[in-house]
Amino acid sequence: MRRREYVTAVGGSVGALASTRIGTAQTVSLERVCPVDDATAVRPGGEILFEAAAAPGVEPTATEWRIDGPDGNEIDPGAPFYSYTHVTGQPAAYGRFDEPGTCEVSVAAAGRSVSWTVEVTEAAPGSPSVEVTPDPGPDATITVRDEIEVAASAADDFGTLRRLFWQEGRNATYVDSTDFSGSTATATYETTGGDAVWFIGDYPMMTWVACRDGRLSTARTEGPSVITWRGVSITGTNAPVRAGEDLLVEAEIEIDGDSTYHAFVDVAADLIVGHDPTHVDSETLEVFAGNTETVQLEFTTATVRNTQTFPVRVETRTDASETDVTVIGTDDAGSQGHLDVTGLETNAPVTGGERLEVTAALENTGNGPADRDVELVVGHDPTTVDTRSVIVDAGEATTVSLGYETYPVENDDEFPVRVGTGDDTASQTVLVHGRSGNGESGQATFAISVTGTNAPVTGGEWLSATAAVENVGDAAGTQDIELVVGRTPEVVDATSVTLAPDETATVSLGYETYPVRNDDTFPVTIRSPHASDTRTVTVHGRG
């Protein structure tokens, strides 16, 4: 496949010293290339290519073309031959000859010149013929990733074909050339839609065919319409879901195109579901060429009795992405999988009246999805105080946070807390401090009050929270103050505070947030061994 290369050559002429861009002087030469001989003929209204070989080469601005002869005949070193000279260093131009008679055409560079005598007469040979056709054709629509082949065929009754020049129609710029010979010849130019910017800009492609004696013809063709590539990739779903619930599918849309011509692109994203494909949702979004955006599609699943796994596909005009999802049937809910409790963490000890939080690590060790209600049971006389519903795929793990507000007991109380899934349980003994300190003296108890955060922040930035810490106990003490974040609680920062009774201090804790693509809202808690306070914060996505 040919690719366009734009290079620059230095200028000069025969036996003369030409000044180059790098400040040196070189001796150059000129000789005729087309027409090969110093005399040629053309019919009135015909065109001739003039080309000279320059060593080591000249720039278009270093050449001077002249024509002496009847008015109405003219020389044009312009497109495609101005750009041809710029690329090759070969002085080239074409002349149009309307008036019969004899003309003298010359080109000079750095004090040297070559010339041709042109006789304009009805007795001269006719111009060669040329036809050019693109594949796909002008009525087609392709993407910037598709291939284009432009075919040209030329013929000359006198058997002197010499060269075909390819010219892009956008800026009338030389692209490539193919040497010919004989009476008939063909050539192709291959490129991708993304490189054919003249087709993107609705300009034609042109070919010029020249014979050895300079006789010249041109042809042009419109190309196909070239649109952006609307790429799509499914990035996640909320599957498995229960039958009758909403299934969410998130996908990333990527635009591959030329921002000069395509700019903002409207992309329709369609959600297709099932083995018998059914269109269930659609969303149109605007994406700038070269960028990506995220789209979320959804539909309400059918209330089926048996668990089903089926494909979901997100389609754009040019691309598609597919994945499988599972919907748990009403008869199967809770009957598949085996959900083990693999770990427990709590924020104990807390003071009576404060919230006790329990985080359980769960793992599905069965061979199917586990749809379970996870319960928090507390006390020697077991009482269910909180419940969460979860669905965990076979072999997958998750965490769940449960909790409740403890009773404001006067004396310290120790009791078991238990998390159960129906398949497994795990327990731990916790301590709740009495508000009177159980009649004992000498205890430091730190109360917490969050005073502020710097939320919202953008993903990747520092999130900080401040809190007032007060020793409400009757003795001095030192305690660790922790910052806990997320729906799956995680300690991200901590500091040690020493306070006398009734003394208050301010603490500031923080951490570098994860560079999320989408907005995320979650709790942040500052806690001591006896108390905690929580705020909800938002981290803005970067995408």
Side-chain angles (χ1 to χ4, degrees), residues 437-453:
N438 200 25
E440 299 177 1
S441 62
Q443 178 175 301
T445 302
F446 286 8
I448 303 293
S449 177
V450 174
T451 56
T453 75

Side-chain angles (χ1 to χ4, degrees), residues 262-284:
H262 296 130
F264 285 99
V265 180
D266 287 333
V267 183
D270 297 308
L271 179 60
I272 315 294
V273 305
H275 298 288
D276 183 15
T278 303
H279 182 275
V280 295
D281 195 16
S282 186
E283 192 76 31
T284 299

Side-chain angles (χ1 to χ4, degrees), residues 45-135:
E47 296 174 323
I48 292 181
L49 166 69
F50 298 96
E51 181 182 359
V58 296
E59 298 182 25
T61 55
T63 63
E64 181 182 359
W65 289 89
R66 293 178 59 87
I67 181 170
D68 294 321
D71 292 340
N73 300 336
E74 59 182 14
I75 288 293
D76 186 357
F81 302 112
Y82 185 92
S83 58
Y84 174 77
T85 300
H86 183 75
V87 172
T88 65
Q90 302 274 88
Y94 73 95
R96 179 176 176 86
F97 300 89
D98 293 325
E99 299 297 329
T102 301
C103 298
E104 187 81 11
V105 175
S106 63
V107 58
R112 296 292 181 175
S113 67
V114 292
S115 63
W116 297 265
T117 299
V118 181
E119 183 180 1
V120 184
T121 172
E122 292 288 353
S127 300
S129 63
V130 58
E131 293 183 355
V132 58
T133 306
D135 183 20

